[in-house]
Amino acid sequence: MSSQSSKKSATAISPTRGENYAEWYQQVVKAADMAENSPVRGCMVIKPWGYSLWENIQRVLDDKFKETGHQNAYFPLFIPLSFLQKEAAHVEGFAKECAVVTHHRLEVGSDGKLIPTGELEEPLIVRPTSETIIGDAFARWVQSYRDLPLLINQWANVVRWEMRTRMFLRTAEFLWQEGHTAHATREEALEETMRMLEVYAEVAEQWMAVPVIKGEKTAGERFPGAEQTFCIEAMMQDRKALQAGTSHFLGQNFAKASEIRFLDSQGEQQYAWTTSWGVSTRLIGGLIMTHADDDGLVLPPKVAPVQVVILPIYRTQDDRSRVLEYCHAVARALRSQRYAERPLSVQVDERDERGGDKVWHWIKKGVPLRVEIGPRDIEKDALLVARRDRAHKDKQAIPRGEFVATVTTILESIQEALFERARSFREQHTRRIDTRQEFYDWFTPERVQDNEPTPIHGGFALAHFSGDVQLEAQIKADLGVTVRCIPQDGSESGICPFTGAPSQQRVVWAKSY
Amino acid sequence: MSSQSSKKSATAISPTRGENYAEWYQQVVKAADMAENSPVRGCMVIKPWGYSLWENIQRVLDDKFKETGHQNAYFPLFIPLSFLQKEAAHVEGFAKECAVVTHHRLEVGSDGKLIPTGELEEPLIVRPTSETIIGDAFARWVQSYRDLPLLINQWANVVRWEMRTRMFLRTAEFLWQEGHTAHATREEALEETMRMLEVYAEVAEQWMAVPVIKGEKTAGERFPGAEQTFCIEAMMQDRKALQAGTSHFLGQNFAKASEIRFLDSQGEQQYAWTTSWGVSTRLIGGLIMTHADDDGLVLPPKVAPVQVVILPIYRTQDDRSRVLEYCHAVARALRSQRYAERPLSVQVDERDERGGDKVWHWIKKGVPLRVEIGPRDIEKDALLVARRDRAHKDKQAIPRGEFVATVTTILESIQEALFERARSFREQHTRRIDTRQEFYDWFTPERVQDNEPTPIHGGFALAHFSGDVQLEAQIKADLGVTVRCIPQDGSESGICPFTGAPSQQRVVWAKSY
């Protein structure tokens, strides 16, 4: 059965997570051929393997948006400068670092070089987010309470001029969806805000196998202009938090800035209540840092671009055609089945490469199941099957009929194992903390080898907090740690370990991306 | 059976096509609630009804791209100015009118106004098309003949600073897909160019019911930098041509500008042969102008966001619940069926509006089948069914069971009728012309009422042409008429009616969008 070797073997990714986490991440992205940096500052090229993963995540999200009554639409890429002027708090938080279009023509100068000409009367901003331009449309679309709720989503690219970028996690341009809704009452808008938070949590946990904590942001971490910001937070393997999605209750702030008003059923003019919510290609960064290991990417089966890869192993040309024929027959039997609401995605790797190179190619790409088939396997009518969530030498010989009959069960078992591993990792690195000393110790790296601080330490601290803004700022300055969220289901009376003030619940403190 | 009224009734769209074609178009878009102009110059907002149609067209195209071996990827929105400098012919044709990003920050000035700051060292162009930035990536990705063919597609927004814009047909920002491929040989690249032209023609004709002529552009109408440009051309109801998709054979021009080179199997360095091909939201403009009538939009069933709308007709509250229950039962029976590779899209219009208002709402939105159900229909267990391709008063009573059993046949019959109607319209307004006089007459409006020229006249002229560039320019100057394409299957010896030169085939001349 299991043939796991006890011999220590080199890893496919160098450096390993333990050696240099940030560099390990870049190397995983590169080895899986998901994306690369482009010649445009801070912008990446999403390569087919990364984009296909995004398409799968998009499809799941889009289906859920439509099931919950939302419709897609598309709004302009550009926002007139005057629109941003309307919402001062919003600009302060968002629009400071952005791409500004000032000219609309190129001309060839006397030296043969291109020069921008045709200066615009009003500069245009490449959208960093679309509340203001969508608010302008909503003001036209919403006239009466009969027009509400208005439930719109947009799939789009946005640009924020980030100084320090990292592929998928933080890039100047990124792909995302932004939901924008308008409602007749505060209650309905809040309900919508929470509904979409649930959708995000469901997609993260049940599809991407990324466990998340749902909660609310403190005032300091809120979306500029929002009354309340809710989020899902995940723990990465360096024990830092990643904000994987946000849902904002905007109250009437944006409705007032954009004049979104309606006649209620009594004939009175009212401002609408609005929400916005979004997730982005950052989700892919979160997926990588949750599941990938020192051999590369590890993909949850439900969103994997390829769920099963079949690797024909042969030496002679004669073997080749026999083996390929058999492999394609297996592939057809698998493709006739469905898993995660789509036909099984199966690829036969026909490239003329060494067997070992092929195996490592797909390990690094994170494909959930690898099936090796050579002449001897065909004789036995059995396949050598390896799961990406287990050691790479751990291969099982499974009779063909049995494998075809149980493949979706195996995929589901991988999906669950990944989720459980991530949840257990998070629990292992989450601590309930009740004293200031323990809190500071938790977030201060030990000094080990050569007296160097360990790069990976701490995790999530669950500590009482009374909402003291100055304390939050102090802890951020001291330790680089912030309140990631006030968890949804955490009511518990206690005392803030820093101020001694009474507290209604524990919050999640962590370092973060 | 048929109850078509002979009484002339007012049309839902004013003006009609005959009265003012351009304004009719705008009113159709507005009445169907597909899109609207935005406050950003030349940019439109694509509203849910228009966007949903785009999603359906996208899905069909995307499936076909994948079936033909292409993979999606995503490249930066911005192109460094120096990249455009590399391909002079390309800039001349394309990048002159474009959006130029020159700053990356906004600051609040002393008067409280936002000012662009942080000037970029090198301006960035918002992509008008991505040959140069994708070429840069291809130069990295292609090293050996083993890396070829490289078959990539991108779904993206692009910006061209158009002066005169019209929703869907010509907007500053639009949505499109751009395919970019690299090949080892001229033959393979040409094959790819033609394969994608076929895909476009198939989607236009078989899905959008828009008949097209496949052909090649003359030198003057070629994509800047291409060796050959192929296109599909459709006739609109004002008898002008609309270029609905293009596929370019770029030879080695872009490969040389971007240094896309590979080691061939003999170990020699070669430049790759590349292609690019694209269709855009302009397809929607073409669909509208092919099928819509004086009552509004007419949607081909295969791509319609809603294929069947059910209109409950009732007066009392008691009737309402009975009628709604029955309507939803019919809807469920329909939704369990598939047509055009998706479950039937059925909507029950529950809004409390007058029956007539509801009917006209959906006529203007172009839904292929309307089903009216009132208390008396329920008694008879029969539905009143109206097809959007027939007069609005032409309603048929069909027993429920029969309708449910034949609904996909009826939808297919509408799909075919729309295509046949459009093809017959095109044939009716296409003329084989062999003399200069007839040609000039064909494209010169008659003067009729009040001695005003008829706005709609002419059509396609099939005339011999020897390829004389100056003649082409002269005819364009005289009549505003150009060679739309040299049709694919049109070999026929003859004589150019203008120059007397021998000609190998007839070409399509027309006014165009």
Side-chain angles (χ1 to χ4, degrees), chain A residues 108-339:
Chain A
V108 181
S110 53
D111 58 353
K113 299 265 167 145
L114 293 168
I115 319 158
T117 62
E119 192 170 353
L120 300 176
E121 279 182 34
E122 180 180 16
L124 297 172
I125 311 307
V126 179
R127 62 183 162 217
T129 179
S130 303
E131 274 75 8
T132 56
I133 189 86
I134 294 183
D136 175 77
F138 277 22
R140 288 190 300 275
W141 301 355
V142 174
Q143 301 295 331
S144 138
Y145 69 97
R146 289 169 195 270
D147 302 322
L148 298 174
L150 181 57
L151 308 173
I152 296 291
N153 178 61
Q154 167 171 265
W155 290 98
N157 52 345
V158 288
V159 173
R160 299 173 189 176
W161 209 264
E162 302 285 354
M163 278 302 127
R164 293 192 316 176
T165 60
R166 207 182 311 193
M167 285 186 287
F168 291 116
L169 292 171
R170 191 178 293 278
T171 47
E173 181 192 12
F174 57 93
L175 303 182
W176 81 343
Q177 61 67 218
E178 44 183 322
H180 296 270
T181 70
H183 307 261
T185 64
R186 165 185 280 273
E187 291 66 36
E188 280 181 38
L190 259 170
E191 237 172 65
E192 166 78 6
T193 311
M194 303 317 292
R195 184 182 301 120
M196 301 324 287
L197 187 70
E198 283 300 327
V199 165
Y200 288 159
E202 190 190 330
V203 173
E205 297 201 328
Q206 291 175 30
W207 290 81
M208 301 174 62
V210 173
V212 294
I213 296 174
K214 291 174 286 188
E216 186 180 348
K217 288 288 184 198
T218 59
E221 299 278 324
R222 212 173 269 158
F223 178 71
E227 269 196 31
Q228 288 179 281
T229 285
F230 299 86
C231 61
I232 52 173
E233 296 279 332
M235 181 187 283
M236 304 292 99
Q237 290 181 75
D238 61 355
R239 309 185 201 166
K240 286 189 193 167
L242 182 90
Q243 175 181 299
T246 48
S247 187
H248 313 292
F249 171 61
L250 304 175
Q252 294 180 312
N253 295 342
F254 280 86
K256 286 178 180 167
S258 296
E259 289 291 328
I260 309 172
R261 286 191 293 183
F262 66 99
L263 274 183
D264 68 15
S265 55
Q266 267 74 52
E268 300 284 322
Q269 280 278 4
Q270 304 277 2
Y271 282 109
W273 300 82
T274 69
T275 82
S276 68
W277 29 275
V279 295
S280 73
T281 35
R282 182 174 227 220
L283 281 176
I284 294 178
L287 183 149
I288 297 169
M289 289 202 294
T290 300
H291 302 303
D293 61 23
D294 293 336
D295 286 334
L297 186 60
V298 176
L299 289 167
K302 283 190 181 172
V303 293
V306 173
Q307 293 160 320
V308 184
V309 66
I310 298 179
L311 306 168
I313 312 286
Y314 49 83
R315 294 208 178 156
T316 67
Q317 243 357 70
D318 186 50
D319 278 352
R320 184 176 192 276
S321 55
R322 272 175 60 223
V323 170
L324 280 182
E325 194 182 323
Y326 187 94
C327 288
H328 283 292
V330 173
R332 277 193 301 277
L334 297 177
R335 286 192 192 112
S336 70
Q337 301 183 55
R338 292 175 70 84
Y339 174 67

Side-chain angles (χ1 to χ4, degrees), chain B residues 106-283:
Chain B
L106 291 178
E107 279 176 20
V108 181
S110 54
D111 58 353
K113 300 263 169 153
L114 293 169
I115 320 159
T117 62
E119 192 170 352
L120 299 176
E121 280 181 33
E122 180 179 16
L124 297 173
I125 312 307
V126 179
R127 61 182 163 218
T129 179
S130 303
E131 274 76 8
T132 56
I133 189 84
I134 294 183
D136 176 76
F138 276 23
R140 288 190 301 274
W141 300 356
V142 174
Q143 301 295 331
S144 139
Y145 70 95
R146 288 169 195 271
D147 301 321
L148 297 174
L150 181 57
L151 309 173
I152 297 291
N153 177 62
Q154 166 170 265
W155 290 98
N157 52 346
V158 288
V159 173
R160 299 173 189 176
W161 209 264
E162 302 286 355
M163 278 302 127
R164 295 193 313 176
T165 61
R166 207 182 309 192
M167 285 187 287
F168 292 116
L169 292 172
R170 192 179 293 278
T171 47
E173 181 192 11
F174 58 92
L175 303 182
W176 81 344
Q177 61 67 219
E178 46 184 321
H180 296 270
T181 69
H183 306 262
T185 65
R186 164 185 282 272
E187 291 66 37
E188 280 180 39
L190 259 170
E191 237 173 65
E192 166 78 7
T193 311
M194 302 318 291
R195 184 182 302 120
M196 300 324 287
L197 187 71
E198 283 299 328
V199 165
Y200 289 158
E202 190 190 329
V203 172
E205 297 202 328
Q206 292 175 28
W207 290 81
M208 302 175 60
V210 172
V212 294
I213 296 175
K214 290 174 286 188
E216 186 179 349
K217 288 287 182 197
T218 59
E221 298 278 324
R222 213 174 269 158
F223 177 71
E227 269 196 29
Q228 288 180 281
T229 286
F230 299 87
C231 61
I232 52 173
E233 296 279 331
M235 182 186 284
M236 304 293 99
Q237 290 181 74
D238 61 355
R239 308 184 202 168
K240 286 189 191 166
L242 182 90
Q243 175 180 297
T246 47
S247 187
H248 313 291
F249 171 61
L250 304 175
Q252 293 181 313
N253 295 342
F254 280 86
K256 284 178 180 165
S258 296
E259 290 292 329
I260 308 172
R261 286 192 291 183
F262 66 98
L263 274 183
D264 68 15
S265 55
Q266 268 73 53
E268 299 285 320
Q269 280 279 4
Q270 305 276 1
Y271 282 109
W273 300 82
T274 69
T275 82
S276 68
W277 29 276
V279 295
S280 72
T281 35
R282 180 172 228 219
L283 282 176

Side-chain angles (χ1 to χ4, degrees), chain A residues 36 46 55 66 72 74 77 85 96-98 100 102-106 112 114 140-141 157 173, chain B residues 36 46 55 66 72 74 77 85 96-98 100 102-106 112 114 140-141 157 173:
Chain A
E36 65 185 22
I46 307 181
E55 285 179 302
K66 284 171 180 161
N72 288 332
Y74 189 77
L77 171 67
Q85 199 85 46
K96 278 191 301 198
E97 295 296 333
C98 55
V100 188
T102 55
H103 295 73
H104 70 83
R105 189 178 299 132
L106 290 180
L114 293 168
R140 288 190 300 275
W141 301 355
N157 52 345
E173 181 192 12
Chain B
E36 66 185 21
I46 308 181
E55 286 180 302
K66 285 172 179 160
N72 288 331
Y74 188 77
L77 171 67
Q85 199 85 46
K96 276 192 303 199
E97 295 294 334
C98 55
V100 188
T102 55
H103 294 72
H104 70 82
R105 189 178 298 132
L106 291 178
L114 293 169
R140 288 190 301 274
W141 300 356
N157 52 346
E173 181 192 11

Side-chain angles (χ1 to χ4, degrees), chain B residues 466-480:
Chain B
S466 64
D468 186 319
V469 178
Q470 283 187 335
L471 169 69
E472 206 180 346
Q474 185 60 52
I475 290 174
K476 186 173 182 177
D478 287 352
L479 299 168

